[in-house]
C-alpha cells in the first residue's frame, strides 16, 4: 500500500532494450501518474551493452527510484508449446533445463542458461523483465487469435516467431533463426559444389550432341506464357492494411534474399506442423504478419503465390510493445 502511494509521488521510468542484427535499440518512456511525459529512442552500434549505452540508460534510471528495465528475449532455443500441463510438456520440448511461463492452455519457455546469460550481460544496469516474443505477438494479435484459425508471424531483424492459434488455443509454435538458416544454406551450397565437381569427372565433352540438346530445349519455349500471378486479397479492416509498399529501386538484393529466406522458414515450419503427429494439425488458409523491421512486399507475394495463403500485414513497434508489456506486468503486481 505504501509502495503504491510512493509511486504517485515519483515519475516511473520504463527502459526497453531490443537487440537487432548489428544494433541495439533502447526506448525510454517517462511517466507521471500513468501519463507519458517524455519518450526517447536511441540506436547503438553494438549488440551488447557498451559504455555509451550504459551512460544513456543510467542517465534515465537515476531520475526515479521506480525504474523498470525490460529486454526482448532473443534466445534461439526458446519456443512455445500447446500445453500448460507439466506432465505433457516434454512431449513437445526439452523442459529439463528451461524456465517457462504457463498460460491458460499453452506455455512459453527459454533455456535457463540463456536467461542467466542475459541477466549477467546486463548486470551493470539490472533487468526486471525478459519478455518472450510469443507473448508480444499474442497480445498484438489478440483480436484475431481469439476468433480465428490462423498462422501468426512476428518478424524481427534476425528471428521469426511463428505460431498457429485456433480460437485462442495454441496448436503450434516455433522460433526461427535467420542466421542458422543462412549457415545451413551455405553448407548445402558447399556440398552441391563438391557434387558438381565430382559429377564432371570422367565426362567426355566430345560425346555431347549439342544440336539434339538445343532442340530439346524447345519444349520450354512457351514457359514465359505461364501466368503465376493471382488476385491479391483486399483488407476489409483498415488496421490490417498497414503494409509497406516499396519501389523496386528501393529494395536491395539483400532485402530480397532475406524475404525469400523468411518465406522458406515459414514454409518449412508450416510443413512440420502438418506432418508431425503430435500436433493437432488443421488446414491453414490465412496468416497475420507483425512486421517489426519493414519487410518488402515480396514476402507477402511469396506467401500468397507459393502457399496460397491470405496474408494480412500489420506494422509493429517492438519497443513500445515491450514497454506496454512492462506496464501490464506492474499493474498485476
Amino acid at each position: 500500500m505504501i509502495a503504491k502511494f510512493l509511486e504517485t509521488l515519483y515519475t516511473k521510468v520504463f527502459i526497453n532494450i531490443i537487440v537487432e542484427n548489428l544494433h541495439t535499440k533502447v526506448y525510454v518512456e517517462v511517466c507521471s501518474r500513468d501519463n507519458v511525459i517524455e519518450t526517447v529512442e536511441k540506436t547503438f552500434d553494438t549488440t551488447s551493452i557498451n559504455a555509451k549505452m550504459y551512460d544513456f540508460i543510467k542517465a534515465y534510471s537515476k531520475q526515479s527510484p521506480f525504474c523498470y528495465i525490460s529486454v526482448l528475449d532473443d534466445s534461439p532455443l526458446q519456443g512455445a508449446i500447446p500445453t500448460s500441463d507439466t506432465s505433457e510438456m516434454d512431449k513437445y520440448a526439452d523442459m529439463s533445463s528451461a524456465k517457462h511461463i504457463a498460460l491458460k492452455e499453452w506455455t512459453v519457455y527459454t533455456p535457463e542458461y540463456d536467461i542467466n546469460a542475459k541477466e549477467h550481460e546486463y548486470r551493470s544496469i539490472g533487468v526486471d523483465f525478459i519478455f518472450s516474443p510469443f507473448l508480444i505477438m499474442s497480445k498484438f494479435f489478440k483480436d484475431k487469435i481469439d476468433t480465428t484459425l490462423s498462422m501468426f508471424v512476428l518478424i524481427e531483424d534476425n528471428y521469426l516467431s511463428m505460431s498457429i492459434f485456433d480460437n485462442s488455443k495454441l496448436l503450434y509454435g516455433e522460433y526461427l533463426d535467420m542466421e542458422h538458416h543462412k549457415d545451413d544454406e551455405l553448407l548445402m551450397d558447399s556440398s552441391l559444389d563438391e557434387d558438381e565437381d565430382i559429377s564432371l569427372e570422367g565426362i567426355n565433352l566430345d560425346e555431347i550432341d549439342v544440336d539434339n540438346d538445343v532442340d530439346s530445349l524447345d519444349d520450354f519455349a512457351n514457359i514465359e506464357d505461364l501466368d503465376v500471378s493471382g488476385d491479391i486479397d483486399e483488407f476489409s479492416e483498415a488496421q490490417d492494411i498497414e503494409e509497406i509498399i516499396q519501389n523496386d529501386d528501393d529494395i536491395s538484393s539483400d532485402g530480397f534474399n532475406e524475404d525469400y529466406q523468411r518465406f522458406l522458414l515459414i514454409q518449412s515450419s508450416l510443413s512440420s506442423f502438418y506432418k508431425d503427429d503430435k500436433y493437432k494439425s488443421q488446414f491453414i488458409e490465412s496468416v497475420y504478419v507483425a512486421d517489426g523491421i519493414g519487410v518488402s512486399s515480396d514476402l507477402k507475394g511469396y506467401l500468397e503465390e507459393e502457399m496460397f495463403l491470405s496474408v494480412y500485414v500489420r506494422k509493429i513497434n517492438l519497443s513500445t510493445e515491450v514497454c506496454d508489456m512492462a506496464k501490464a506486468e506492474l499493474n498485476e503486481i
Side-chain angles (χ1 to χ4, degrees):
M1 192 70 177
I2 297 177
K4 289 292 183 182
F5 172 73
L6 291 175
E7 286 184 22
T8 64
L9 302 179
Y10 291 92
T11 58
K12 293 180 184 177
V13 179
F14 295 91
I15 299 172
N16 311 277
I17 301 171
I18 312 292
V19 180
E20 298 181 335
N21 186 20
L22 300 173
H23 310 282
T24 300
K25 286 184 179 179
V26 180
Y27 171 73
V28 180
E29 277 192 14
V30 181
C31 303
S32 177
R33 295 180 182 271
D34 296 326
N35 295 317
V36 179
I37 60 176
E38 182 184 358
T39 65
V40 61
E41 184 173 65
K42 191 167 183 178
T43 301
F44 298 89
D45 294 328
T46 179
T47 56
S48 59
I49 190 166
N50 59 14
K52 290 183 178 180
M53 189 192 305
Y54 174 85
D55 291 340
F56 176 78
I57 291 173
K58 275 299 182 181
Y60 280 94
S61 65
K62 290 178 180 178
Q63 292 186 13
S64 172
F66 297 97
C67 175
Y68 307 95
I69 298 178
S70 304
V71 179
L72 183 62
D73 191 0
D74 61 352
S75 167
L77 299 178
Q78 66 179 297
I81 54 178
T83 183
S84 56
D85 186 342
T86 54
S87 65
E88 295 182 355
M89 290 181 181
D90 287 333
K91 174 183 175 182
Y92 300 98
D94 181 8
M95 305 296 287
S96 60
S97 59
K99 288 188 175 181
H100 68 273
I101 299 175
L103 305 169
K104 187 176 181 181
E105 294 184 13
W106 58 291
T107 300
V108 295
Y109 68 89
T110 296
E112 186 173 4
Y113 173 84
D114 289 343
I115 293 291
N116 293 339
K118 186 68 67 177
E119 292 175 342
H120 179 76
E121 179 180 352
Y122 294 106
R123 65 191 182 280
S124 60
I125 56 173
V127 172
D128 297 287
F129 304 112
I130 299 176
F131 290 118
S132 164
F134 289 98
L135 295 180
I136 300 292
M137 178 170 55
S138 66
K139 172 182 172 294
F140 185 71
F141 281 126
K142 189 178 189 310
D143 58 325
K144 302 300 180 185
I145 284 175
D146 288 349
T147 58
T148 66
L149 166 62
S150 299
M151 176 167 60
F152 299 86
V153 181
L154 170 62
I155 298 180
E156 301 177 58
D157 202 18
N158 261 10
Y159 301 101
L160 288 78
S161 303
M162 184 273 203
S163 62
I164 297 172
F165 281 89
D166 181 11
N167 293 292
S168 77
K169 181 176 177 60
L170 179 73
L171 302 182
Y172 181 80
E174 187 175 4
Y175 195 62
L176 305 170
D177 187 344
M178 288 276 291
E179 288 301 315
H180 179 72
H181 181 63
K182 288 177 183 177
D183 292 341
D184 287 346
E185 284 189 334
L186 287 173
L187 288 174
M188 290 177 64
D189 290 343
S190 176
S191 63
L192 286 173
D193 290 341
E194 291 176 1
D195 291 342
E196 288 174 358
D197 292 340
I198 294 171
S199 65
L200 288 174
E201 292 180 5
I203 293 179
N204 187 348
L205 298 179
D206 293 334
E207 295 178 358
I208 299 176
D209 189 341
V210 177
D211 292 334
N212 287 339
D213 289 340
V214 171
D215 291 339
S216 68
L217 295 177
D218 292 340
D219 294 336
F220 299 93
N222 296 324
I223 198 168
E224 293 182 357
D225 295 334
L226 294 176
D227 183 8
V228 296
S229 63
D231 295 334
I232 297 178
D233 294 334
E234 297 294 335
F235 297 108
S236 59
E237 299 180 40
Q239 64 178 349
D240 292 329
I241 202 170
E242 298 180 22
E243 178 187 358
I244 296 179
I245 305 297
Q246 299 179 348
N247 295 325
D248 290 341
D249 293 341
D250 295 332
I251 302 172
S252 67
S253 59
D254 288 341
F256 173 86
N257 292 333
E258 288 180 354
D259 280 343
Y260 190 68
Q261 289 170 9
R262 293 183 181 100
F263 158 70
L264 291 177
L265 284 171
I266 294 170
Q267 185 183 54
S268 175
S269 188
L270 184 59
S271 177
S272 297
F273 168 67
Y274 286 142
K275 294 177 180 179
D276 197 325
D277 292 338
K278 66 174 172 279
Y279 298 107
K280 298 177 181 178
S281 61
Q282 299 186 48
F283 183 69
I284 305 301
E285 297 181 344
S286 59
V287 55
Y288 291 87
V289 178
D291 178 12
I293 61 172
V295 297
S296 74
S297 58
D298 291 323
L299 177 61
K300 184 174 184 290
Y302 296 141
L303 295 171
E304 288 175 333
E305 295 169 14
E306 301 294 333
M307 299 177 66
F308 307 105
L309 293 167
S310 297
V311 184
Y312 306 93
V313 181
R314 290 184 189 175
K315 187 69 177 174
I316 183 173
N317 186 322
L318 287 170
S319 299
T320 58
E321 291 295 328
V322 169
C323 188
D324 289 344
M325 285 288 290
K327 293 176 182 178
E329 284 292 316
L330 289 178
N331 290 331
E332 294 180 4
I333 297 177

